[in-house]
Amino acid sequence: MASGVAARGGAAAVAGTDLLTVGVEEEFLLVDPHTGAAVPAVDLVMEQVPPELRGQVEREFQTSQIEIGSPPGLELRSIRHSLGVLRAALADAAERAGVRLLAIGTGPVDGPVPPVVDKPRFDRMIERFRLLVPGPGNNGMHVHVGVPDPETGVRVLNHVRPWLPVLHAVTTNSPFARGEDTGYASWRSVEWEHWPSVAPTPFLESHEHYRRLIRQLIASGVMLDEGMLYWYARLSAKYPTVEIRIGDVCPSVDDAVLVAAMVRAMVATAMTAIAESRPVVNTDHHLLVAAHWRAAHDGLEGEGVDLTNGELRPAWGLLDALVDRVRPALASHGDLDEVTDLLGGLRRHGTGAARQRAVFARASRLEDVVADVARQTRG
């Protein structure tokens, strides 16, 4: 929810090439190592973070959350390295503080809702929106991809919006809440949509249209400021990037690298379409909402809405179609072989939600789920 991990910005594209930078930010839950319940421990953990990494770690909205941001880069191996180092350091810091770090969309174990971090902006949000604060922690993954200018960025948003429900399904990682299975693959998505400015990105006529909508939404009271523009994809307010912010935080570094590569390829594919003056598919808003709901409900293990015809298809078939669509961009960035391997792993093991349910099915113990997520988080 908060924005400000300085390391996540970056240049749009490397001069003289068509290659795009990518950066990732991830939000994590802090829990009691014995009960698995969320705990307000962010200050204790921050004190334990190594000094050389503190510029890439910060507090989030609730005191049970903490956030990291990778430096932007061209190569997936640099993103993998950064996320691996940051996750391991943060897991160690959490253990020294007497808690456990989880890459999970929301807390699976019932318990008190930790307070909000003491910041004037957050205080104003609580004053205006009151009980819309989510449960024990609402943890997402945001991917930033460089674009050359805001006008191009807006056109990219138009091109990628019909495909975001597929990514939504890939990232589902929060099936449990309040001690039980919610019936959703991403319960975080359901809680997140309580905020009035959370929505699929609308079809945008221009950058001026984008700016006008922001001014109007702030004037309406739905948002305090531009930072509360919680569309599933937006332009960064600080960096020359498109920011995709639809998914739960991924359970493992492998999952995060896969999503980062797919997002960059989607943006690159959109930029090629723009350069070739290909038309945009202006998907109906309500059908797009339905597609996102279905993605949050089923993940990849069920069905998804095919936005070319409005019909249901196996969600994996929709992901395969997206991979085919962005394959040239994956190849041009040198990501195709790694993405192919990572997709194979995802197909074998399932989404984070499927993995959690598989662990729970063995002994019906959420403690086992928490332990397994902690293992994947550290890597």
Side-chain angles (χ1 to χ4, degrees):
M1 180 177 293
S3 58
V5 179
R8 75 184 181 187
V14 176
T17 78
D18 294 324
L19 301 181
L20 305 178
T21 58
V22 61
V24 174
E25 59 183 4
E26 299 183 300
E27 299 160 355
F28 303 99
L29 188 69
L30 303 171
V31 302
D32 184 291
H34 305 293
T35 68
V39 289
V42 66
D43 288 341
L44 294 174
V45 176
M46 289 292 289
E47 291 173 1
Q48 298 296 326
V49 174
E52 66 272 18
L53 297 179
R54 287 179 184 169
Q56 295 171 259
V57 180
E58 72 169 24
R59 294 164 181 82
E60 237 291 327
F61 185 62
Q62 286 171 270
T63 52
S64 52
Q65 296 175 279
I66 195 163
E67 180 181 17
I68 63 172
S70 75
L74 283 174
E75 297 186 353
L76 287 187
R77 64 183 179 184
S78 67
I79 300 299
R80 177 184 292 280
H81 175 76
S82 295
L83 294 180
V85 167
L86 287 165
R87 280 180 174 228
L90 211 54
D92 287 342
E95 289 179 11
R96 288 193 293 271
V99 298
R100 182 177 263 176
L101 185 77
L102 297 186
I104 196 167
T106 192
V109 177
D110 199 13
V113 176
V116 171
V117 169
D118 184 17
K119 285 185 179 181
R121 180 173 179 267
F122 293 166
D123 291 341
R124 293 196 303 274
M125 289 171 68
I126 295 300
E127 181 181 1
R128 179 172 298 181
F129 299 105
R130 305 301 290 267
L131 292 179
L132 294 186
V133 175
N138 196 284
N139 304 301
M141 172 189 183
H142 307 157
V143 181
H144 289 253
V145 179
V147 290
D149 57 77
E151 200 67 54
T152 300
V154 164
R155 297 174 72 184
V156 166
L157 296 179
N158 286 341
H159 277 273
V160 302
R161 71 193 276 272
W163 293 98
L164 292 183
V166 181
L167 274 185
H168 197 164
V170 170
T171 62
T172 49
N173 186 35
S174 52
F176 296 101
R178 305 187 188 101
E180 61 182 280
D181 193 318
T182 64
Y184 284 79
S186 174
W187 185 249
R188 180 203 66 90
S189 301
V190 177
E191 290 188 325
W192 182 230
E193 288 176 0
H194 292 169
W195 292 91
S197 56
V198 174
T201 308
F203 188 84
L204 299 159
E205 298 168 4
S206 63
H207 184 233
E208 171 50 34
H209 182 207
Y210 180 89
R211 300 304 311 173
R212 184 169 69 250
L213 281 174
I214 291 173
R215 293 192 298 270
Q216 291 169 336
L217 289 170
I218 292 172
S220 76
V222 160
M223 307 185 329
L224 291 180
D225 51 38
E226 186 171 347
M228 284 191 71
L229 186 72
Y230 298 144
W231 291 345
Y232 298 156
R234 68 183 187 184
L235 303 183
S236 170
K238 294 185 176 182
Y239 308 110
T241 63
V242 165
E243 180 185 2
I244 307 299
R245 43 186 299 116
I246 182 55
D248 292 355
V249 64
C250 291
S252 72
V253 170
D254 274 354
D255 298 307
V257 169
L258 171 61
V259 172
M262 288 296 296
V263 169
R264 175 164 65 178
M266 290 167 66
V267 172
T269 300
M271 291 179 64
T272 297
I274 292 166
E276 296 175 355
S277 300
R278 282 189 249 147
V280 175
V281 177
N282 186 359
T283 304
D284 180 85
H285 172 77
H286 295 286
L287 188 59
L288 196 57
V289 169
H292 279 289
W293 177 86
R294 191 79 197 203
H297 187 274
D298 286 21
L300 281 178
E301 284 65 46
E303 294 185 302
V305 179
D306 185 339
L307 289 171
T308 65
N309 56 23
E311 297 179 358
L312 287 178
R313 285 180 57 190
W316 261 104
L318 295 173
L319 178 55
D320 289 340
L322 175 58
V323 173
D324 286 344
R325 178 183 178 86
V326 303
R327 190 178 302 276
L330 289 171
S332 67
H333 282 85
D335 298 342
L336 183 57
D337 288 345
E338 182 162 6
V339 165
T340 300
D341 289 342
L342 293 173
L343 284 168
L346 183 65
R347 196 181 291 273
R348 288 191 301 274
H349 304 301
T351 60
R355 289 171 227 169
Q356 289 185 46
R357 284 174 167 148
V359 171
F360 186 76
R362 292 173 199 146
S364 299
R365 287 167 41 92
L366 282 176
E367 296 95 328
D368 295 343
V369 172
V370 169
D372 189 68
V373 173
R375 177 189 60 79
Q376 292 183 72
T377 302
R378 178 185 285 279

